[in-house]
Amino acid sequence: MTRDRFPTARLLALLVPVALLGGALVSQYVGKLYPCELCWFQRYPHAAAIVLAALAFVAPGRTAQRLLVALAGVAILVSGLIGVFHAGVEYHWWQGFTECTSTMTGPVTLDSIMKAPIVRCDVAQWRLGGISLAGFNAVFSIAGAIAIFWTMRGKRS
């Protein structure tokens, strides 16, 4: 008898991007690690995955729920692949699209432009064991997507 593992896949599809996007926001607002352009690109698929996974809890019908979870898994995987690209830019394995961005908010004045922090995409602001935040996002996002797809292959009703 095959156990239905879809509820686990659906929960993973919600918790993985919530944890990773939450970690990114904590590192930004508490740790003062301002995101570069490639950091932002990694966040968008996680935000989409949260919406898709949340909809999978309320969608009518098992087929619609499975589709939403699968799409959330794809979005998480996309964020991980962007993380691989970003980590490669940080390690100077290849050239990125841009070298720096700014996180300026509010009205644009000369003073606000001069005070806005410049955040380079090719320089990791933080590393643990030689792995940057982009590298950790790549590892956890790709592993999370694999776990979601693996658990979805269980019993269908």
Side-chain angles (χ1 to χ4, degrees):
M1 175 185 247
T2 304
R3 187 174 81 97
D4 185 9
R5 297 183 294 183
F6 177 72
T8 303
R10 184 172 52 188
L11 188 60
L12 279 172
L14 182 63
L15 293 181
V16 168
V18 163
L20 292 172
L21 187 55
L25 293 171
V26 167
S27 71
Q28 177 180 347
Y29 291 106
V30 177
K32 303 297 183 200
L33 300 176
Y34 297 102
C36 71
E37 189 172 14
L38 288 173
C39 294
W40 282 107
F41 290 166
Q42 293 171 78
R43 292 178 183 195
Y44 300 138
H46 282 310
I50 290 169
V51 171
L52 292 164
L55 288 173
F57 280 91
V58 297
R62 184 66 166 230
T63 302
Q65 292 173 4
R66 290 182 68 80
L67 176 62
L68 288 165
V69 169
L71 290 173
V74 169
I76 294 165
L77 180 62
V78 166
S79 179
L81 294 175
I82 296 168
V84 168
F85 177 77
H86 188 186
V89 170
E90 291 173 336
Y91 293 119
H92 304 286
W93 294 338
W94 46 73
Q95 182 72 33
F97 300 121
T98 61
E99 290 187 356
C100 60
T101 57
S102 176
T103 58
M104 192 174 70
T105 59
V108 178
T109 64
L110 181 58
D111 188 51
S112 66
I113 292 170
M114 297 306 290
K115 290 181 180 176
I118 302 295
V119 182
R120 294 179 56 102
C121 292
D122 63 346
V123 177
Q125 295 182 58
W126 181 88
R127 290 182 195 246
L128 178 64
I131 301 174
S132 67
L133 288 174
F136 279 111
N137 180 59
V139 169
F140 291 125
S141 293
I142 292 169
I146 290 169
I148 290 163
F149 296 134
W150 184 263
T151 56
M152 280 188 68
R153 71 184 211 349
K155 176 184 165 189
R156 296 181 188 189
S157 51

